[in-house]
Amino acid sequence: MQSTRRDFIKTSVAAGATFGVSGALGLDATQPNRAIPMPTERAKALMALFGLKYPIFEACHGFTTSPDLAIAVSNAGAMGALASLGTIDEARNAVSKVRSATKGPFVINYILRSEPTSLKAALDAGAPIVQFSWGMPTREMVAAIRGAKAKLGMQVTSAESARAALDLGADYLVCQGTEAGGHVQANRGLYEALPNVLKEAGHTPVVASGGIANGEGIRKALLAGASAGMLGTRFVATLESNAHPAYKKAILAAHAKDTVLTVCFQDGWPGATHRALRNRTFVMWDAAGCPPVGKRPGEGDVVATRSDGSKVLRYWEASPTKGLEGAVTECALFAGLGVDFVKDLPRGGDLVERLWRECETAHSTPS
């Protein structure tokens, strides 16, 4: 366990690793950043593929995603997102709600730690884009997506996983770095992994994910060769998000140094790494020497109660949502390194417009 945690620290620190962008874009890296027009040619190609106004993707942030937020993001010209949570009926209803309220594209994400049992229902309801993470879909899943004339995306972390996704016919890739919040599939920083994924991807669009939370971060990703930036923590802190108000408040008060890459909150998803805010539960566990399941302090404590009366235990692997009652800030408070730039609770559509204005006017220097 201790050596694993040291690896976490190494990969977390590697978030600062960068590379020159001249090879990725065919640009002179000494050219002033402000002189490079936005969007880039790679971004324009992705925008044309999906009918987007902006190269901005909402990350699929688990239980805190909501149809209302996906609708707001898509209507603003960016890529809204739904998570593959709940029953077949819930998936069908969520997709139908978004489909009927926006002409813009949106993605439904399936985490392949479990069987995507609602995939057919989501496709039948009109899901235009299906994205997979934490695994590769079967050829039968891909065939179902193609049969529904939907697009296919896959989260990758390396040249090897990118190659596997491309072999399955992915229309785009999501390159995740360890800067990301929530459950982190990645094992290296975004700007360490991205050049390898871009080289393997060729002309296939690559969306950068991990630690991006403002327009300057989007601009940096585009200058590095990505076709779009994906933001999770930033969209959790919006009015339409399903996150609990106390969770949103914690995000607004937090800084990057308050996050930790850990396996603390693993009940329900054993062994999966995740980035979350340091809270009372984490501090207790860390002070006890990061003990394994069965020896953790406060194990079995009920920290919150859902609206249906079911209990949330201390080490549960999901962040708190609206309607939860109790010590909600002792639950897993997932947040990425971009939390430094999250200081307000805007509407999703207003946020999209602001992010793009920031991207166009950012003064950051290409890495």
Side-chain angles (χ1 to χ4, degrees):
M1 174 66 77
Q2 297 302 321
S3 61
T4 302
R5 282 178 48 76
R6 284 196 293 271
D7 289 341
F8 290 166
I9 294 170
K10 289 178 182 177
T11 54
S12 182
V13 171
T18 57
F19 70 106
V21 301
S22 57
L25 290 175
L27 299 172
D28 180 357
T30 64
Q31 184 180 7
N33 189 356
R34 291 292 299 277
I36 301 173
M38 290 285 129
T40 61
E41 292 304 313
R42 287 182 67 94
K44 288 178 182 178
L46 176 138
M47 291 156 63
L49 176 66
F50 293 118
L52 294 171
K53 185 178 179 181
Y54 306 116
I56 299 172
F57 278 51
E58 176 195 354
C60 302
H61 40 95
F63 289 100
T64 58
T65 56
S66 76
D68 288 341
L69 180 55
I71 291 166
V73 172
S74 293
N75 279 338
M79 183 71 77
L82 290 173
S84 56
L85 301 168
T87 65
I88 289 174
D89 285 343
E90 287 170 337
R92 182 187 296 111
N93 292 341
V95 171
S96 297
K97 179 177 180 177
V98 178
R99 183 73 292 166
S100 65
T102 182
K103 294 182 179 178
F106 62 95
V107 60
I108 181 167
N109 184 74
Y110 284 93
I111 300 173
L112 291 176
R113 62 174 173 137
S114 57
E115 188 72 17
T117 55
S118 67
L119 176 59
K120 184 179 185 302
L123 291 170
D124 289 345
I129 306 163
V130 177
Q131 183 178 295
F132 295 100
S133 59
W134 287 83
M136 294 290 162
T138 64
R139 295 196 178 274
E140 290 74 19
M141 295 175 198
V142 174
I145 293 166
R146 296 308 183 201
K149 300 188 184 310
K151 293 287 195 296
L152 171 64
M154 297 188 211
Q155 182 170 283
V156 300
T157 62
S158 64
E160 292 77 13
S161 57
R163 190 176 310 123
L166 293 168
D167 287 346
L168 286 168
D171 294 301
Y172 70 97
L173 307 176
V174 177
C175 179
Q176 187 194 53
T178 52
E179 302 92 335
H183 289 92
V184 180
Q185 180 181 336
N187 51 46
R188 66 189 73 182
L190 174 59
Y191 292 99
E192 182 182 357
L194 186 58
N196 299 322
V197 171
L198 286 169
K199 183 177 180 181
E200 192 66 35
H203 294 295
T204 300
V206 177
V207 179
S209 175
I212 303 172
N214 62 2
E216 185 172 350
I218 295 169
R219 186 180 185 92
K220 179 178 179 180
L222 298 185
L223 290 175
S227 297
M230 178 175 281
L231 295 77
T233 306
R234 176 61 276 190
F235 280 110
V236 173
T238 55
L239 291 177
E240 299 95 337
S241 160
N242 194 41
H244 193 282
Y247 175 23
K248 294 179 183 181
K249 184 177 180 180
I251 287 176
L252 300 189
H255 298 281
K257 64 182 177 61
D258 300 319
T259 73
V260 61
L261 192 61
T262 181
V263 292
C264 177
F265 299 96
Q266 64 172 291
D267 290 1
W269 194 343
T273 55
H274 42 268
R275 187 178 293 279
L277 298 181
R278 299 172 184 268
N279 62 0
R280 182 168 181 266
T281 298
F282 173 80
V283 170
M284 288 168 53
W285 178 74
D286 184 63
C290 308
V293 175
K295 298 182 179 180
R296 299 169 299 182
E299 192 162 354
D301 288 353
V302 174
V303 293
T305 305
R306 301 184 183 91
S307 57
D308 63 2
S310 59
K311 309 299 183 182
V312 178
L313 301 186
R314 182 171 297 282
Y315 293 96
W316 184 244
E317 53 91 6
S319 287
T321 55
K322 293 176 181 177
L324 208 64
E325 295 185 353
V328 297
T329 57
E330 296 186 23
C331 300
L333 304 177
F334 295 140
L337 292 181
V339 72
D340 269 330
F341 307 107
V342 182
K343 300 304 172 191
D344 63 351
L345 290 174
R347 293 189 178 278
D350 294 340
L351 175 59
V352 169
E353 298 284 351
R354 183 213 299 177
L355 288 168
W356 189 247
R357 290 195 302 271
E358 291 175 351
C359 179
E360 289 183 308
T361 59
H363 292 265
S364 62
T365 303
S367 301

